[in-house]
Amino acid sequence: FVAPLAPADSPHLQMMNSLGILLFIPLATSSIFDQAAKGKCIPIDIDLCKDLPYNYTYFPNTILHNDQHTLQTHTEHFKPLMKTKCHPHIHFFICSVFAPMCPIGMPQAVTSCKSVCEQVKADCFSILDEFGIGWPEPLNCAQFPDPPELCMKPTEDEISGGFSAPRVPSKVSSSSSSKPTGCPSDLVDVDPHDPKSHCAFSCQSNVMFSTDNKRMVRSWSIWFAAANAGVAFFSFLTFAIDRKRFRFPERCVFYLSLCIFLSSLPYLSPLIIDAPIRSCHALGNGRSYLSIGTFDNSYCLASFLLNYFFSTAAALWWLMFSFTLYLSGGRKWVPEGIEACSSYVHFVAWGLSSLATIIVLIFNKVDASELTALCSVGNLNSIALLWFVIVPRIICIVIGTCFIVGGFASMCRERISFRTRGTDTSKLEKLMAKMGFFCALFILPNVIELVCQCYKFMILTQWTRMTIECKQQLGACHRPTPPQAEIYMAAVLSNLTTGLSCLVWVLSAKTVNSWKNFIFCGMCSSAPVKNPIEPSTRPLLEPPTAPPPQPPVYMQMTTNPQNAWRPSKVV
């Protein structure tokens, strides 16, 4: 291989040469867990591994060679990698491979768990790859076991595995017992000196979800976000090219489509920005973690503003649509009257969403999602999820549904009254069907999302204490069952289907004509329409046309003095 030149005594060159030699060492067997027919526990005689929390290793070791002197020679090749401290437990992991623990009561080789290997590889592989060196075969993660098989998983103060066995205390274990409990190995201690600081999720680690789950959710969300943003933007442009056609309450759909379009854009960011760049924060020691309560990552802050602010504004604009629909259908308000109060409608929709966003920023509740690698609210904090996402959405859906029911009830009474008088109600029925489809396509996905968010809230109440707040649990962080990624994906995808409601509202023959006029006659000046009544202000059921009025006829005044001051009579 070809590598950059470095001084002969530099640790990088030593590591390159040592690990390069190790790549060509043949293995006696494909797995280090193939136990010999008869084995025993012997004291560890490898200098680099004498400070482990255990003192006995299994003999014979079936990796490379049987004697510990030869194993010690090959362990020295990893010494430069250990000095880089690319992972807090790189030393323990390598020693567990060459000197696996041997419980006294049941002699067998017990090495690190597969998750530990994957975490070490995720943090240290870039150093080897910089010199063109692949991951060494003795450290192949595919050969390491997972619980409930016997394996070791290090923490700051103990080695926990799928068993409980006594161990012989050593100097390191006795000295480290006096240290405060830290974060688990797959989490990042944001502030090691603060016992109440967060244990953040390591960037690109698999804590709650597997790599396959992340890949599945992110690929599906890109397709749904592209479709949702497309139909929402089309609805927005339809309103923009023919604004005179849409007045309140229809104009609320104009702002609703704009909010849906902007809130869908963060889900398209994986096409141009990698997950660590848009969702992670790096510490001074080189480790990075998913952003939680910090604004140092500008991409994370931008995705939060687009996602949370405009999704909240979309819910409020749907509430304003239902309210103005109730005023128009239930209270018989004309569009001019609603437009006169439109400033209050804008204040409620934009003002409340801005207030909620500011409160989230003040209390530092912005966090990144391990599943989508996007920043929002309530990804890692159950309390923030409840008060900033679930409760506001429930309020908007419940109150908006009440307004919709009131407006539909009034329109049904008018329909019955028109039929009693023998008036044609086909236009009114089409309008009611259109509103019904629009409301159903908006309410149903939001209800599905709320149900999934409630499930997410219950999961976070268990996982937050065992992950983010693990330091406050004094190391007793026994993680519950991993959540169902399909339910999380249902919440994401249902949020990315509300744009269909806006498409249903604008999809009509008038929209086709508006686009024809805009595309083919956009540069032409059309003749002014002499009809003073706009289409949206015309009554739904027009009365029959009355004959034109006759011109007034004036009586001639006489010269009679008695009638000289009598006013003329208009017939």
Side-chain angles (χ1 to χ4, degrees):
F1 56 87
V2 179
L5 294 178
D9 57 346
S10 66
H12 292 286
L13 187 58
Q14 295 176 9
M15 177 179 61
M16 179 178 63
N17 295 332
S18 300
L19 294 179
I21 295 173
L22 188 63
L23 290 177
F24 298 97
I25 298 177
L27 296 180
T29 135
S30 60
S31 174
I32 67 173
F33 309 105
D34 296 333
Q35 304 298 319
K38 292 182 180 181
K40 60 180 180 179
C41 296
I42 62 173
I44 298 177
D45 195 25
I46 301 176
D47 294 337
L48 286 176
C49 302
K50 286 186 177 182
D51 57 352
L52 294 176
Y54 57 91
N55 294 336
Y56 288 85
T57 185
Y58 185 80
F59 181 83
N61 192 322
T62 55
I63 182 173
L64 299 178
H65 298 280
N66 290 333
D67 61 283
Q68 293 198 53
H69 178 73
T70 308
L71 289 175
Q72 178 176 348
T73 303
H74 295 304
T75 308
E76 292 290 335
H77 296 305
F78 289 92
K79 192 173 182 179
L81 184 63
M82 295 180 185
K83 288 184 177 181
T84 62
K85 296 182 180 180
C86 54
H87 190 275
H89 299 294
I90 177 66
H91 177 265
F92 171 84
F93 169 66
I94 292 178
C95 285
S96 70
V97 175
F98 290 94
M101 187 181 78
C102 181
I104 300 297
M106 44 181 180
Q108 56 182 310
V110 181
T111 187
S112 297
C113 297
K114 183 178 180 180
S115 59
V116 178
C117 177
E118 293 175 346
Q119 295 159 16
V120 173
K121 182 178 179 180
D123 292 341
C124 302
F125 178 72
S126 59
I127 299 177
L128 302 179
D129 188 61
E130 183 180 353
F131 298 99
I133 302 175
W135 190 248
E137 183 61 27
L139 308 184
N140 185 8
C141 297
Q143 61 186 349
F144 289 83
D146 276 327
E149 297 182 34
L150 296 181
C151 61
M152 296 183 294
K153 194 172 184 180
T155 60
E156 293 294 332
D157 63 339
E158 64 179 357
I159 306 299
S160 61
F163 66 100
S164 296
R167 69 177 182 212
V168 179
S170 62
K171 295 181 180 180
V172 175
S173 61
S174 61
S175 61
S176 62
S177 60
S178 60
K179 295 181 180 179
T181 302
C183 299
S185 60
D186 56 346
L187 301 181
V188 178
D189 196 344
V190 178
D191 188 359
H193 304 287
D194 185 5
K196 296 184 179 180
S197 63
H198 293 308
C199 293
F201 286 21
S202 179
C203 191
Q204 293 185 320
S205 63
N206 299 327
V207 181
M208 297 177 63
F209 303 98
S210 64
T211 305
D212 294 336
N213 292 334
K214 297 176 185 178
R215 188 182 299 110
M216 176 184 65
V217 172
R218 293 173 189 178
S219 59
W220 279 100
S221 62
I222 289 175
W223 287 105
F224 272 69
N228 195 53
V231 296
F233 190 63
F234 173 78
S235 304
F236 172 77
L237 291 180
T238 302
F239 280 89
I241 64 177
D242 195 3
R243 297 190 62 182
K244 294 182 180 180
R245 172 184 158 198
F246 302 100
R247 303 180 68 178
F248 283 99
E250 292 177 301
R251 189 160 294 180
C252 294
V253 185
F254 169 76
Y255 299 104
L256 174 63
S257 60
L258 175 63
C259 294
I260 293 176
F261 166 70
L262 294 176
S263 64
S264 302
L265 294 182
Y267 293 94
L268 300 176
S269 60
L271 297 175
I272 56 177
I273 305 175
D274 293 334
I277 299 177
R278 66 176 185 269
S279 63
C280 294
H281 174 71
L283 292 176
N285 58 4
R287 299 198 68 186
S288 58
Y289 62 92
L290 290 178
S291 297
I292 174 172
T294 179
F295 308 135
D296 295 336
N297 192 330
S298 58
Y299 294 100
C300 176
L301 183 60
S303 66
F304 158 73
L305 293 176
L306 288 174
N307 191 356
Y308 182 74
F309 174 78
F310 286 105
S311 60
T312 305
L316 288 170
W317 271 115
W318 184 82
L319 177 61
M320 292 299 99
F321 168 80
S322 60
F323 175 66
T324 53
L325 177 64
Y326 173 75
L327 293 179
S328 178
R331 309 302 296 178
K332 302 299 184 292
W333 280 44
V334 294
E336 290 80 4
I338 300 177
E339 289 182 359
C341 303
S342 61
S343 59
Y344 300 102
V345 174
H346 284 272
F347 175 77
V348 172
W350 299 119
L352 292 182
S353 56
S354 301
L355 179 63
T357 305
I358 293 173
I359 293 176
V360 170
L361 293 175
I362 291 176
F363 288 96
N364 295 332
K365 296 301 181 182
V366 180
D367 49 17
S369 171
E370 179 190 359
L371 191 62
T372 61
L374 296 176
C375 292
S376 186
V377 182
N379 293 310
L380 302 173
N381 192 322
S382 58
I383 303 301
L385 176 65
L386 176 64
W387 293 107
F388 292 110
V389 178
I390 296 178
V391 172
R393 296 293 177 86
I394 291 178
I395 293 175
C396 291
I397 294 298
V398 171
I399 297 179
T401 303
C402 293
F403 283 131
I404 291 293
V405 171
F408 266 90
S410 178
M411 295 176 72
C412 289
R413 290 193 297 267
E414 292 293 335
R415 175 172 167 270
I416 295 174
S417 177
F418 287 168
R419 283 191 171 185
T420 304
R421 296 197 302 264
T423 309
D424 183 21
T425 60
S426 59
K427 292 184 178 180
L428 181 59
E429 291 173 352
K430 290 181 180 179
L431 179 62
M432 293 176 64
K434 184 178 181 179
M435 290 182 177
F437 277 112
F438 171 77
C439 296
L441 289 177
F442 188 87
I443 294 176
L444 185 59
N446 277 273
V447 171
I448 295 175
E449 182 185 5
L450 280 175
V451 173
C452 297
Q453 295 288 6
C454 292
Y455 170 80
K456 182 179 178 181
F457 171 77
M458 293 186 297
I459 292 297
L460 288 180
T461 54
Q462 304 172 9
W463 276 82
T464 302
R465 293 187 300 106
M466 300 303 170
T467 53
I468 304 299
E469 302 174 358
C470 185
K471 291 178 67 175
Q472 304 175 22
Q473 308 299 323
L474 301 179
C477 302
H478 305 288
R479 297 179 186 175
T481 306
Q484 294 291 331
E486 292 77 10
I487 299 180
Y488 276 68
M489 184 174 69
V492 174
L493 299 185
S494 59
N495 183 39
L496 296 175
T497 56
T498 52
L500 292 176
S501 59
C502 301
L503 181 64
V504 168
W505 187 267
V506 302
L507 203 59
S508 63
K510 293 182 180 179
T511 300
V512 176
N513 294 330
S514 298
W515 278 100
K516 284 183 179 180
N517 296 332
F518 176 76
I519 295 174
F520 298 105
C521 301
M523 304 302 296
C524 303
S525 58
S526 58
V529 181
K530 297 184 179 181
N531 187 4
I533 303 178
E534 296 293 339
S536 60
T537 59
R538 294 177 180 173
L540 187 62
L541 302 175
E542 298 181 357
T545 306
Q550 298 294 331
V553 178
Y554 299 92
M555 298 289 296
Q556 294 183 357
M557 296 183 62
T558 61
T559 57
N560 191 348
Q562 297 178 356
N563 300 329
W565 300 101
R566 181 177 300 176
S568 61
K569 183 177 181 181
V570 180
V571 179

